[in-house]
């Protein structure tokens, strides 16, 4: 069973910081590249950041480079997203997933999403 439980969202002022967490089951986490995505109503879900299965590589969308940091704890099967210098346009529901890189982008390995965690950034 796929387990992905995101938390840590909330309301923050522009320029502020938040740390998101994603609690996963071992079978959903170990051996997979893990990623964060975000979605606002009426728009497609978009890639934010990914971290390789061994933690040795990371990838970020251009719009978060230098502001967000993805990390993970393999002992607790937890994925993190440290968000700093937040902008109003960062407001969205954030989701985590195990992913696979494809030529056209990222694919959700288990085709399953958690409930997400809502981030609201006030100007």
């Amino acid at each position: 069973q796929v387990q992905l439980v995101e938390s840590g969202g909330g309301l923050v002022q522009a320029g502020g910081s938040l740390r998101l967490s994603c609690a996963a089951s071992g079978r959903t986490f170990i051996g997979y590249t893990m990623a964060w995505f975000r979605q606002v109503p009426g728009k497609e879900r978009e890639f934010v950041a990914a971290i390789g299965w061994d933690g040795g590589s990371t990838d970020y969308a251009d719009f978060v480079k230098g502001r967000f940091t993805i990390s993970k704890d393999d002992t607790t099967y937890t994925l993190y997203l440290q968000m700093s210098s937040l902008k109003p346009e960062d407001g969205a529901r954030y989701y985590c997933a195990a992913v696979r890189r494809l030529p056209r982008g990222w694919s959700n390995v288990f085709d399953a999403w958690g409930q997400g965690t809502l981030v609201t950034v006030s100007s």
Side-chain angles (χ1 to χ4, degrees):
Q1 184 175 356
V2 176
Q3 176 186 322
L4 297 163
V5 180
E6 300 91 346
S7 62
L11 174 63
V12 63
Q13 287 189 328
S17 299
L18 278 176
R19 189 175 82 154
L20 306 183
S21 300
C22 168
S25 60
R27 70 175 294 269
T28 313
F29 193 87
I30 298 300
Y32 293 102
T33 294
M34 297 297 294
W36 286 97
F37 294 77
R38 69 187 189 186
Q39 187 173 27
V40 297
K43 290 191 173 182
E44 289 191 356
R45 202 175 331 240
E46 62 181 357
F47 169 79
V48 175
I51 185 166
W53 67 272
D54 62 354
S57 63
T58 56
D59 194 3
Y60 295 93
D62 286 343
F63 52 77
V64 302
K65 282 181 181 176
R67 299 188 299 122
F68 292 10
T69 302
I70 189 171
S71 62
K72 66 191 187 86
D73 184 340
D74 289 343
T75 63
T76 61
Y77 309 140
T78 305
L79 180 72
Y80 298 102
L81 185 69
Q82 178 66 47
M83 307 187 295
S84 303
S85 301
L86 283 161
K87 305 175 182 179
E89 52 264 43
D90 292 319
R93 185 166 293 275
Y94 284 72
Y95 301 86
C96 63
V99 296
R100 180 181 297 120
R101 185 191 282 272
L102 298 177
R104 66 178 185 275
W106 297 93
S107 171
N108 186 329
V109 171
F110 297 103
D111 197 24
W113 300 97
Q115 84 289 348
T117 187
L118 183 64
V119 173
T120 304
V121 184
S122 63
S123 57

